[in-house]
Amino acid sequence: MTQNSLKRMFFKRRQVLRGVTGLSAALLASRLAGCATTTDSDATPTAGGETASSSEPIKLGLIAAITGPSAVSGESITRGLTIALEKINASGGVMGGRPLELVIRDDESTPAKGVAAARELIEQEKVALVFGGLDSPVSLAMLPVFHELEVPYMGVWAAATSITRNEFDPNFAFRVSANDNIVDSYLMRYAKQELGATKVGLVLINNPWGESNQAGFEEWAPKYDLDIVGIEKFNDGDTDISPQLGRLQEGGAEVLLMVANAAPSAVAMKSLLRLDWDVPVVSHWGPTGGRFPELAGEEAAARVVFMQTYSFFDAEGERSEALMSKLQEKYDVKGPEDVIAPVGTANAYDAMNLVALAIDTAESLDGPTLRDSFYDLPTYAGLIKTYEQSFSPGNHDALNEDDYILVQWKDNKLVPFQG
């Protein structure tokens, strides 16, 4: 057993944020700031990081954008995790009756803040696992912390390929979300087979997430007989990218493949309207995690087709109905059209249930033991799919291309794409 594993065997309970509800970003941030008070527990440490008390809560962390332009993503993830956690606890918890407890930290979409939060959650709050948020740069920056301290990471939104396909051995990063490399194949296949394109232009955010997708698009383009006529990058904070789009237009792009979050994507679409260029835009899911329709305008937002992993429209089954009922009860959601950033909620809901199964399978909170348990999970009939052998040593992504769908904004609501 490693030194870090031994450290996690002896810890005292600290009471933190519990029962997270649908708070506004500002109110949630305020309450998070007020959760610094801690108390000691009389529970006696035992082997494997558990305590002698069968009722001792098991802490799980969430590091996501709770405030800022991507706060919608953090709220949707929090909702999915919370509803699943409450269901698990109401059913008896894990490891023979221990409840789960969610400890939330706001990364503000900033890698440095994510890194600090990861270390604090593991070393001070003693969480057994950390869920990640929307931003790939944040998740990538945090990976060395998880591997140094040997605590599993579970991604529920960030899609950069190298989050799970990394160089760490053993690999502590898992994901119930999209993988850029698979998404890039999916988007290019759509451009080729459904839109009949032969030439595409790439519009990419200038950060590690954009780089991840550039690599994927360049890998898949020859396989779909697509010519990439240009690769244009832009930054958060840019107010006009007409020159970049103009070059793609001159290059003969028949479809634009866009990768960016809500605010920069809105800038791209406004610039496209200025050019009066009526070209199809097919996007990764970044804009669905923020205020894209508000920032881009309804006309521009409606022109974009996005990939997703789940839609609450036409969703059938007991779990879908139960989750929608809880969203209506806890967050005053009227119907599918009111579910904010649906993939955040759906991915997080399934991820929390898989993590609970992993804890029960491991019968331990020791990081390496918990990591290994993900390879031996029982079949789980989830919201997005039925998970059979969810993870393997060669594959830490639970979702694949068959689990993706297309959606679009219509009347400021995210609805299934009708073609």
Side-chain angles (χ1 to χ4, degrees):
M1 182 175 290
T2 66
Q3 182 179 7
N4 289 318
S5 299
L6 289 171
K7 287 180 179 178
R8 287 192 300 277
M9 289 172 55
F10 301 98
F11 63 90
K12 296 181 178 180
R13 174 186 173 189
R14 295 187 180 186
Q15 298 197 348
V16 293
L17 179 68
R18 302 179 65 178
V20 181
T21 58
L23 304 173
S24 67
L27 181 56
L28 180 55
S30 174
R31 292 197 180 181
L32 285 172
C35 289
T37 303
T38 63
T39 58
D40 289 341
S41 168
D42 294 329
T44 303
T46 61
E50 304 99 29
T51 64
S53 173
S54 62
S55 62
E56 181 75 10
I58 294 173
K59 295 181 184 179
L60 304 174
L62 167 63
I63 301 173
I66 305 301
T67 60
S70 295
V72 169
S73 69
E75 173 68 12
S76 68
I77 291 169
T78 299
R79 292 181 179 188
L81 293 177
T82 300
I83 292 174
L85 180 149
E86 291 177 349
K87 176 184 70 70
I88 293 164
N89 286 349
S91 299
V94 296
M95 288 177 62
R98 296 180 62 178
L100 296 174
E101 185 175 297
L102 188 62
V103 187
I104 302 176
R105 294 294 180 267
D106 183 5
D107 62 34
E108 301 178 37
S109 298
T110 304
K113 292 188 177 183
V115 170
R119 193 168 291 279
E120 186 255 336
L121 283 177
I122 296 169
E123 294 184 331
Q124 297 182 34
E125 298 297 344
K126 308 301 181 184
V127 298
L129 175 144
V130 176
F131 294 97
L134 171 74
D135 298 279
S136 286
V138 175
S139 294
L140 290 168
M142 294 189 299
L143 284 184
V145 177
F146 301 133
H147 288 87
E148 173 197 343
L149 302 180
E150 296 185 319
V151 169
Y153 160 91
M154 176 59 73
V156 298
W157 197 314
T161 303
S162 56
I163 291 174
T164 50
R165 300 181 189 178
N166 56 55
E167 297 180 352
F168 293 99
D169 185 16
N171 182 5
F172 279 79
F174 298 85
R175 180 161 50 193
V176 179
S177 180
N179 177 309
D180 281 342
N181 186 269
I182 305 173
V183 172
D184 298 334
S185 170
Y186 181 81
L187 298 182
M188 283 197 146
R189 184 181 69 182
Y190 176 76
K192 179 69 176 182
Q193 297 180 359
E194 302 300 326
L195 300 179
T198 59
K199 298 179 180 179
V200 297
L202 306 186
V203 184
L204 310 176
I205 192 68
N206 187 25
N207 67 18
W209 187 37
E211 295 170 6
S212 173
N213 283 277
Q214 179 178 338
F217 285 134
E218 290 177 330
E219 175 186 339
W220 288 106
K223 299 178 183 179
Y224 288 109
D225 195 24
L226 284 170
D227 180 19
I228 299 176
V229 300
I231 302 172
E232 297 294 340
K233 297 186 177 183
F234 62 122
N235 299 299
D236 263 319
D238 286 352
T239 58
D240 181 43
I241 65 166
S242 298
Q244 294 98 311
L245 296 177
R247 288 191 289 269
L248 295 177
Q249 186 177 26
E250 292 172 2
E254 299 161 339
V255 174
L256 297 183
L257 302 178
M258 184 168 68
V259 178
N261 285 334
S265 292
V267 169
M269 293 309 299
K270 287 182 176 179
S271 300
L272 195 61
L273 289 180
R274 293 190 192 100
L275 289 177
D276 194 25
W277 183 19
D278 187 18
V279 62
V281 180
V282 184
S283 175
H284 209 313
W285 62 10
T288 66
R291 299 178 294 119
F292 180 66
E294 175 187 338
L295 297 172
E298 187 173 345
E299 178 186 356
R303 290 182 56 180
V304 186
V305 177
F306 307 90
M307 64 74 53
Q308 298 274 267
T309 54
Y310 191 77
S311 172
F312 285 89
F313 285 88
D314 302 322
E316 299 178 352
E318 181 180 342
R319 282 177 176 77
S320 297
E321 294 174 1
L323 179 54
M324 178 57 69
S325 177
K326 282 295 183 181
L327 287 169
Q328 293 170 334
E329 174 188 332
K330 291 179 63 67
Y331 304 107
D332 196 29
V333 171
K334 305 303 182 186
E337 68 278 2
D338 290 329
V339 179
I340 60 170
V343 297
T345 299
N347 293 355
Y349 181 86
D350 278 0
M352 176 64 82
N353 280 286
L354 289 172
V355 166
L357 287 175
I359 293 172
D360 274 336
T361 300
E363 297 182 330
S364 171
L365 302 183
D366 171 67
T369 303
L370 180 56
R371 185 200 82 94
D372 291 346
S373 73
F374 281 100
Y375 302 143
D376 297 316
L377 298 183
T379 297
Y380 166 61
L383 191 67
I384 299 172
K385 64 186 288 185
T386 294
Y387 298 83
E388 297 179 355
Q389 295 182 326
S390 310
F391 305 100
S392 69
N395 177 35
H396 281 209
D397 285 287
L399 304 182
N400 57 50
E401 193 167 349
D402 294 334
D403 305 313
Y404 299 165
I405 60 173
L406 291 173
V407 300
Q408 65 182 146
W409 290 100
K410 187 174 181 180
D411 298 326
N412 288 328
K413 304 296 182 183
L414 203 58
V415 302
F417 179 60
Q418 300 299 322

